[in-house]
Amino acid sequence: FKQKTAYEIKECDWSSDVCSSDLAKKGIEDMLKMLRVVPLLAVMALAVCGADVQVGVAAFERGDFAVALKELEPLSKDGNSTAQLIMGLMYYQGKGVAQDYKEASRLFLLAADQGEGMAHLSIGFMYGSGQGVERDLARSYMHFALCSDTPEVQANCISNRVLLSQRMTREQVLEADRLKAAWKQRTERK
């Protein structure tokens, strides 16, 4: 039995001058659809974080967003990266909470700070499309580069980074590389 991963996501069409926010939104929404088959996420939550997160993730998976919010919000506030990631997805989609791209981006950044590859992928799309954050191709590229070593999202991160780089100036790519190095240095000290 081969389990589909929760991290498959469509590529954004970086070939145009502006990454369509509709395509970025579709990419994240496709990722959210995959979360319905996320025993992997629940297993990760239990292994890494314990049973409290598992209850919230399981509630999210079955569409019980009120329970997911009740279980995950305090954990998210306490710095649990899995809870922050799922809460970010809830705010992105407006599931159990009012849709709020700024709050979704804030939560994705908090989870990405702790190495959550799926959070890097999500915030990379948001920077590329300007959803909840100011559009910034260098930061989008940086987040795709940071998640390129995460097996669950690796293919999507690499392909989106390559496509995006074709629309960037050399200076933007160099800035993205500088931002990536600074991000790694900052997060390694934590």
Side-chain angles (χ1 to χ4, degrees):
F1 170 71
K2 178 143 174 33
Q3 175 72 40
K4 279 189 172 183
T5 71
Y7 303 100
E8 294 175 18
I9 190 167
K10 297 238 185 242
E11 294 173 351
C12 189
D13 180 9
W14 302 108
S15 62
S16 64
D17 285 339
V18 177
C19 174
S20 162
S21 63
D22 288 341
L23 286 173
K25 186 174 181 179
K26 180 170 176 18
I28 292 177
E29 286 174 355
D30 286 349
M31 173 180 61
L32 288 165
K33 287 178 192 170
M34 296 301 254
L35 284 172
R36 283 189 234 131
V37 251
V38 196
L40 169 67
L41 197 55
V43 169
M44 279 177 28
L46 180 59
V48 175
C49 310
D52 292 340
V53 170
Q54 185 184 24
V55 171
V57 171
F60 177 82
E61 289 172 358
R62 70 177 178 271
D64 189 347
F65 301 113
V67 170
L69 180 65
K70 177 182 168 237
E71 295 295 328
L72 296 174
E73 189 172 41
L75 297 170
S76 174
K77 288 178 180 176
D78 286 342
N80 181 288
S81 63
T82 301
Q84 290 165 340
L85 171 65
I86 300 300
M87 289 294 301
L89 294 171
M90 290 173 67
Y91 276 102
Y92 185 86
Q93 256 201 332
K95 300 290 186 181
V97 294
Q99 187 175 45
D100 185 341
Y101 292 145
K102 287 187 186 220
E103 181 63 7
S105 66
R106 185 185 77 78
L107 290 162
F108 288 146
L109 285 167
L110 288 171
D113 256 356
Q114 298 181 65
E116 288 283 348
M118 190 173 179
H120 279 293
L121 181 62
S122 299
I123 196 66
F125 275 113
M126 293 181 84
Y127 273 116
S129 64
Q131 289 181 308
V133 292
E134 186 174 328
R135 186 168 187 258
D136 186 331
L137 297 184
R139 289 191 187 281
S140 178
Y141 181 98
M142 174 197 73
H143 284 286
F144 291 145
L146 286 165
C147 67
S148 293
D149 295 333
T150 305
E152 296 86 358
V153 293
Q154 184 175 47
N156 293 310
C157 293
I158 291 170
S159 62
N160 280 293
R161 187 185 69 210
V162 169
L163 289 170
L164 182 58
S165 70
Q166 295 168 357
R167 303 304 303 162
M168 296 171 67
T169 66
R170 177 169 167 64
E171 291 76 25
Q172 287 174 312
V173 173
L174 291 172
E175 173 66 6
D177 289 339
R178 186 191 67 71
L179 289 168
K180 177 185 172 192
W183 180 287
K184 283 187 148 190
Q185 184 178 25
R186 181 178 57 80
T187 57
E188 286 172 358
R189 281 187 271 177
K190 288 185 175 183

